Amino acid sequence: MDKHRKDFTRLLVEKGLINEEELKSIQELHASKGGSLSEILVKSGYVKEKDLVIFLSTYLSIPPIKVLSLRIPREVIQVVPKATARKYTILPVGRIGNVLTVAVSDPLNVVVFEDLERITGCEINPVIASHSELEQAIEVYYKESVTTAIEEIIQDSESASIEIIKEEKKEVKDVDILRSIDEAPVIKLTNYIMRKAVEERASDILIEPLGDASRARYRIDGVLREADTFPKKMHDFVISRLKVIAGLDITEHRLPQDGRFKMKILGNDVDFRLSVLPSTLGEKAALRVLDKSSGLLDLSFLGFSNDFVKQVQADALSSFGMILACGPTGSGKTTTLYSILRYIYTPQKNIITVEDPIEYQLEGINQVNVNYEVDLTFASALRSILRQDPDIIMVGEIRDFDTVDIAIKAALTGHLVLSTLHTTTAPGAVTRLINMGVEPFLLSSTLIGVVAQRLVRKLCPRCKEKANLDAKIRERFRIKKDVKVYKPKGCKACNNQGYKGRVALGEYLHMDTNLKNMVSESETEHAIKRYAREHGMRTLREDGILKVENGITSLEEVLRATAGDEDRI
């Protein structure tokens, strides 16, 4: 070991990378501080990192690699514990049989290889990588996971900070399951999954059984992130723990179950909606995360343009009529309606909502949750609400003719009605309602405006980089020639995704007199859209392009989220 280091440092002098005086300083520094000689050489500024990698590779006949460009299987990463990888700044990159290939920055440190052979039981095949790249790669591949949590969770003091606000237990015959779900490892693992979701700003959690393991996945900014795995034997206990918290039947494994519960996490009240679905490998749990602290129910903070917000707010002050929010599931329609309700709420107004389910409890507003088991549907709830002297009614979703018929009649008789509808564009909502059986003359008399929206990911402000767009692409999507546009890159701040957070794209169809006449005369969606665009309506695609020009998101995100026919008038 010492001989190798002596030969190595002497060769550095002979090759002219350092001089005798620098060698003496390095030796003194290494003797006093210890650690990796390679790291000391680079951090002290004596040798450039890339030069050292090339030199070590030639000196020891070990191939160099770029670890950040690799796709390393999870099963390979899991061979070496996170603590060991960080301690020695090493990364397992491949495994064939009993031979484990490991990237190291200091291949002269034989202690590393002795420890790795003892821990993994494998023969170690070293390759060389730069110290800085290894540090980055370790953060990427050893990001905190459920597997890591199982190893460390007993000592994790943060799990104790999670408080279940309400927990109900049902009597069960399976005493073993009930005993197990109250044990510390199961409670702490379940709490860890919940806390991690809130920390990562996840909107959904999926806990799924696999063949020989289980995994927890998080939907962050609309995209499912790579799975974290944990032992299969823990799966049933975690699912049962969630059922107990949500007040569900833990002895029922054949039928789907739905419930909800509330937890205090990191000082905030967080609602979870739980859906349990039986599958061939076991029960799968899907949880919707409703973190009230992250929901700013204000149109101005959702990312809509100023002219969009002003027009919607002006129309929302109407004393009667109907405003609709359209878009696919998960596009933020309900949040937009909540924001409108918050804007128009005063103690002098009687506001009642009927929802499935209630996502946020709004202070001062009466909210009704539909319950199909007792025949409390949107339509039946609406009939009862109309006898409660409401000023404003919000219907969670218009799904059928009965609901839309009552909503239209309510709007005609002096109520302001807000609701959501599954259509892709704002003009498309008019066609959809007529197809559902609404008479055009009734629709023209009641409809005030239609919001259509999508959510797109925002570029990470720390690492976004300039994108060089071809002139033809700029012309096709009407992007100004002299405006800089950006693309994602990826850094530690955004978990190497290139995006962080989401912003809303919106188009608003304001029903002026001419549009009302067009609807009454059963004009086509195409004609309605053309007129609206000629009179100031900005489409979803056009709103997205504005956000691309402002450096908020990327062109790829806008094209992914918006309809392809928006370039045609």
Side-chain angles (χ1 to χ4, degrees), residues 177 181 206-210 213-215 230 232 234-244 248-258 274-287:
I177 291 182
I181 61 179
L206 300 181
I207 301 174
E208 305 159 310
L210 304 176
S214 291
R215 69 181 176 186
F230 59 95
K232 184 68 175 288
M234 299 284 286
H235 181 83
D236 289 342
F237 297 134
V238 171
I239 298 296
S240 296
R241 173 68 184 167
L242 291 171
K243 286 183 180 181
V244 166
L248 303 180
D249 184 359
I250 71 169
T251 64
E252 179 56 72
H253 305 289
R254 299 167 299 171
L255 298 174
Q257 295 189 69
D258 295 296
L274 171 66
S275 172
V276 180
L277 182 71
S279 72
T280 54
L281 296 175
E283 290 180 292
K284 172 185 174 181
L287 295 106

Side-chain angles (χ1 to χ4, degrees), residues 249-470:
D249 184 359
I250 71 169
T251 64
E252 179 56 72
H253 305 289
R254 299 167 299 171
L255 298 174
Q257 295 189 69
D258 295 296
R260 64 187 304 155
F261 57 91
K262 185 185 294 184
M263 301 177 100
K264 186 177 284 293
I265 300 177
L266 304 175
N268 299 316
D269 287 353
V270 183
D271 284 328
F272 293 91
R273 290 210 319 257
L274 171 66
S275 172
V276 180
L277 182 71
S279 72
T280 54
L281 296 175
E283 290 180 292
K284 172 185 174 181
L287 295 106
R288 172 64 56 90
V289 185
L290 303 169
D291 185 358
K292 295 180 181 179
S293 67
S294 64
L296 291 172
L297 300 180
D298 189 321
L299 285 171
S300 303
F301 291 107
L302 298 180
F304 295 120
S305 59
N306 290 334
D307 54 346
F308 177 101
V309 172
K310 288 178 182 177
Q311 184 65 70
V312 173
Q313 288 178 339
D315 285 353
L317 295 174
S318 303
S319 56
F320 67 93
M322 185 162 65
I323 297 175
L324 297 175
C326 302
T329 301
S331 60
K333 303 185 297 294
T334 304
T335 302
T336 297
L337 292 187
Y338 279 147
S339 301
I340 293 173
L341 286 180
R342 281 283 297 272
Y343 175 73
I344 61 181
Y345 169 75
T346 67
Q348 289 75 39
K349 291 178 180 176
N350 180 16
I351 302 177
I352 306 176
T353 75
V354 51
E355 306 169 60
D356 180 25
I358 296 170
E359 294 196 7
Y360 293 101
Q361 191 68 50
L362 301 176
E363 188 175 351
I365 293 175
N366 305 288
Q367 295 173 268
V368 178
N369 206 123
V370 300
N371 187 341
Y372 294 102
E373 291 182 5
V374 294
D375 201 31
L376 181 61
T377 63
F378 282 115
S380 62
L382 262 176
R383 290 189 185 95
S384 298
I385 286 170
L386 288 172
R387 293 192 288 271
Q388 293 287 320
D389 188 31
D391 297 300
I392 300 165
I393 303 168
M394 188 187 99
V395 185
E397 183 182 349
I398 290 177
R399 298 179 179 176
D400 50 45
F401 175 75
D402 283 346
T403 305
V404 71
D405 183 51
I406 300 167
I408 290 284
K409 288 174 181 175
L412 281 170
T413 54
H415 305 90
L416 178 64
V417 178
L418 310 178
S419 190
T420 69
L421 193 67
H422 280 282
T423 59
T424 56
T425 65
V430 175
T431 307
R432 170 73 176 135
L433 289 172
I434 291 173
N435 288 341
M436 289 177 72
V438 179
E439 293 290 346
F441 73 91
L442 290 177
L443 189 57
S444 66
S445 301
T446 56
L447 194 60
I448 299 171
V450 184
V451 173
Q453 66 183 84
R454 302 289 188 278
L455 293 177
V456 294
R457 293 179 291 172
K458 293 194 293 184
L459 287 165
C460 174
R462 293 193 181 184
C463 67
K464 66 180 181 181
E465 58 184 15
K466 184 180 175 182
N468 296 314
L469 292 185
D470 186 86

Side-chain angles (χ1 to χ4, degrees), residues 42 49 67-68 89 105 129-138:
V42 173
E49 192 173 40
V67 289
L68 290 176
T89 317
S105 61
S130 72
H131 190 275
S132 60
E133 276 201 10
L134 279 170
E135 284 186 326
Q136 291 181 57
I138 288 168

Side-chain angles (χ1 to χ4, degrees), residues 508-551:
Y508 186 63
L509 180 69
H510 169 68
M511 299 295 293
D512 62 17
T513 302
N514 288 332
L515 273 177
K516 287 178 180 288
N517 290 335
M518 291 177 73
V519 172
S520 183
E521 293 169 6
S522 299
E523 287 281 3
T524 64
E525 177 185 344
H526 182 74
I528 291 171
K529 183 179 218 175
R530 181 172 57 193
Y531 173 86
R533 292 186 69 180
E534 288 171 352
H535 290 78
M537 185 187 82
R538 187 184 299 119
T539 67
L540 288 164
R541 172 72 60 78
E542 290 165 344
D543 191 42
I545 295 299
L546 274 180
K547 289 179 170 64
V548 170
E549 292 177 337
N550 290 328

